[in-house]
Amino acid sequence: MPEHLITDLQNILGINYVLINEDMIPYLTDWRKKFTGKALAVLLPNSTEEIATIVKTCSKASVSIVPQGGHTGFCGGATPDISGKQVILNLKRMNQVRQIDVENQTITIEAGCILQSVQEIAAQQGFLFPLSLGAEGSCMIGGNLATNAGGTNVLRYGNTRDLCLGLEVVTAQGEIWDGLKGLRKDNTGYDLRGLFIGSEGTLGIITAAVMKLYPLPISQWTTLIAASDIPSTIAILNLFQKRATSLLTGFEMMTHESLKLTVKHFPKMANPLKNDPPFTILVELSDHESEDHVRKLLEDILAQAFDDGLVSDAVIATNLSQANTFWQMREHLTLAQAQEGANLKHDITIPLSALSAFILETDALVKKHYPGARILNFGHLGDGNLHYNIAPPEGVDYLAFNMNNEKAIHDLIYEQVEHFGGSISAEHGIGQLKLADLRNHKGAVAHELMKAIKQALDPKNTLNPNKVVSI
Ligand code: FAD
Ligand code: MLT
Ligand code: ZN
């Protein structure tokens, strides 16, 4: 690294926006505290042009760049390595709304906009921005795009990729690609937008995006449902899909074991359903028609589910505040698990038709090989997405348990995922956490194609090296 790099960067950004020494500390460790890296500097640009100049400067100095948004990702993608030779490029100052196009129903926002503020700005204009996840108060739209985040509304509105119509990206060569068109159709060759979405900062730096907006629903009904086993849970989902069709916006599943942990850390988050059922399902319906229509539909579907013997108990939220409490219970699963200790996380998808068999078989295997280990299974069941997390038996030290079993448990679960035709990453991405797992489970041809893309777009390996794929 040339000695004058820091001075060059200070000249580009101003001295206050090149953080060094202890000022870097908050940017070096991920949300779960699983990864801590070192860096030369943390850069805080506030324009696309500044980012382009930074990339050219760093590339010339052979210094690699780790893009960073809210640093809430679960795979260590935004955390630098331990060499101390990388720079972090945090996009938080790039937080302007560039345009709201009411007729086109789109919003053009910079990468550093906090997700929750985008939801709020959209709502002020009478629109819904449907991306929603537990970290929405701190994750940023650039990070959401770079990880192709999912969350709790995917069932109705799709994941971040489905919500994006256009991107502005700084390439690994420091060029600016202006793809900020709000078009719903554009078949002009390769899908560059699609390529950058989900690339976790390894192919380009996303600086702005055109995102879709939707009309705000006027009525929303939320219910908690008790089910005794996973086949009933899938049958309830299929019933809602058939009868509520596009009014079904959320279908989340929480096991007894995962809720038990939530109550341990957040005693107010008690399950209002009787007898702590094996499976608690949170369902949300929303509509643009009258309140009565959705409420009646929800009651009818629940009545049928009771008649069919699928449901043993259900509570419909009577007001928004109770609905929020149900969602809080769901969101606190992650917070409780973080407080308890760094468990072994799995963010997997399985085809719904294979999901029951996957859970029955995998639960049995985990119980056989790791007696007493806690299976903290919950997730976006409507999308076939499980967070199938494994914690040590009660009272056993997390660090020791993970050190002895981490690889074997990941291997066991990912082999099961492969066997049942699933994916080892549904929504959190790969980062540094699953680099080897991706190599083992993506398939050789697909993995080589990914490496070829990285090689073609970033031959000097300037952007987030050794995340997603190594070249
Ligand atoms: P970061 O963590 O900063 O970065 C993530 C990756 O994107 C890194 O590889 C980084 O290099 C890259 N990156 C960031 N910004 C850019 C950019 N502008 N250009 C190029 N690359 C960039 N995720 C879900 O999908 N669904 C959930 O339901 C969900 N719930 C969560 C709940 C909690 C409590 C927490 C803490 C996290 C949750 N997450 C969830 C994970 C996380 O919030 C998402 O992955 C989110 O999209 C990350 O955004 P971020 O701004 O924090 O990105
Ligand atoms: C969620 O759905 O709450 C998240 O993706 C978080 C998790 O995996 O813990
Ligand atoms: Zn999730």
Side-chain angles (χ1 to χ4, degrees), residues 74 252 330-331 334 337 345 378-380 387 389 427-428:
F74 284 140
E252 301 285 317
R330 163 64 182 87
E331 301 300 0
T334 306
Q337 289 180 30
K345 250 185 183 318
F378 67 100
H380 319 285
H387 298 307
N389 301 338
E427 56 172 12
H428 296 162

Side-chain angles (χ1 to χ4, degrees), residues 4-271:
H4 50 80
L5 178 70
I6 297 291
T7 319
D8 290 348
L9 293 168
Q10 286 170 337
N11 288 338
I12 299 164
L13 295 175
I15 197 157
N16 291 335
Y17 300 115
V18 179
L19 309 183
I20 51 172
N21 301 329
E22 63 274 15
D23 290 343
M24 296 194 288
I25 290 169
Y27 302 85
L28 298 176
T29 301
D30 70 321
W31 188 88
R32 292 187 77 210
K33 303 192 171 37
K34 191 169 172 66
F35 299 100
T36 295
K38 293 182 185 155
L40 277 174
V42 175
L43 311 178
L44 303 172
N46 87 341
S47 76
T48 305
E49 289 71 24
E50 280 184 357
I51 293 176
T53 312
I54 290 169
V55 174
K56 282 183 183 148
T57 307
C58 289
S59 170
K60 206 164 143 202
S62 298
V63 165
S64 57
I65 300 171
V66 180
Q68 188 178 86
H71 212 180
T72 65
F74 284 140
C75 300
T79 316
D81 63 25
I82 52 166
S83 68
K85 292 180 178 166
Q86 303 187 301
V87 294
I88 296 171
L89 192 147
N90 184 295
L91 284 106
K92 68 179 177 187
R93 291 179 68 227
M94 295 273 300
N95 60 0
Q96 297 303 304
V97 173
R98 293 198 188 161
Q99 190 194 21
I100 296 185
D101 185 335
V102 171
E103 284 182 330
N104 201 38
Q105 308 215 339
T106 51
I107 184 167
T108 305
I109 40 185
E110 292 185 345
C113 288
I114 302 273
L115 172 56
Q116 192 175 326
S117 70
V118 179
Q119 296 165 346
E120 286 166 3
I121 289 163
Q124 282 157 17
Q125 303 288 326
F127 286 112
L128 171 75
F129 181 61
L131 184 64
S132 179
L133 45 127
E136 63 199 21
S138 45
C139 66
M140 296 174 193
I141 208 72
N144 300 146
L145 285 156
T147 56
N148 186 27
T152 50
N153 280 329
V154 174
L155 197 52
R156 164 72 180 84
Y157 297 99
N159 49 29
T160 310
R161 184 190 304 281
D162 300 308
L163 299 173
C164 179
L165 294 177
L167 287 183
E168 178 185 83
V169 174
V170 172
T171 69
Q173 291 70 36
E175 303 296 329
I176 298 171
W177 171 51
D178 179 357
L180 284 178
K181 289 181 178 168
L183 302 176
R184 283 170 173 80
K185 285 188 164 183
D186 179 6
N187 274 352
T188 48
Y190 301 139
D191 180 7
L192 298 178
R193 179 190 66 210
L195 199 55
F196 289 113
I197 296 172
S199 68
E200 300 180 53
T202 62
L203 300 180
I205 298 169
I206 296 169
T207 49
V210 185
M211 307 298 292
K212 290 184 199 168
L213 297 174
Y214 291 83
L216 264 180
I218 61 157
S219 69
Q220 238 159 10
W221 286 95
T222 312
T223 180
L224 287 176
I225 300 172
S228 56
D229 52 32
I230 198 74
S232 311
T233 307
I234 307 275
I236 295 164
L237 169 65
N238 289 154
L239 182 63
F240 271 97
Q241 285 171 321
K242 187 170 167 206
R243 295 204 49 195
T245 61
S246 64
L247 304 192
L248 178 61
T249 43
F251 195 99
E252 301 285 317
M253 181 277 283
M254 302 165 266
T255 56
H256 165 66
E257 188 88 63
S258 51
L259 281 173
K260 200 168 96 184
L261 196 68
T262 308
V263 177
K264 176 176 165 191
H265 292 281
F266 301 98
K268 285 187 181 152
M269 296 290 151
N271 193 343

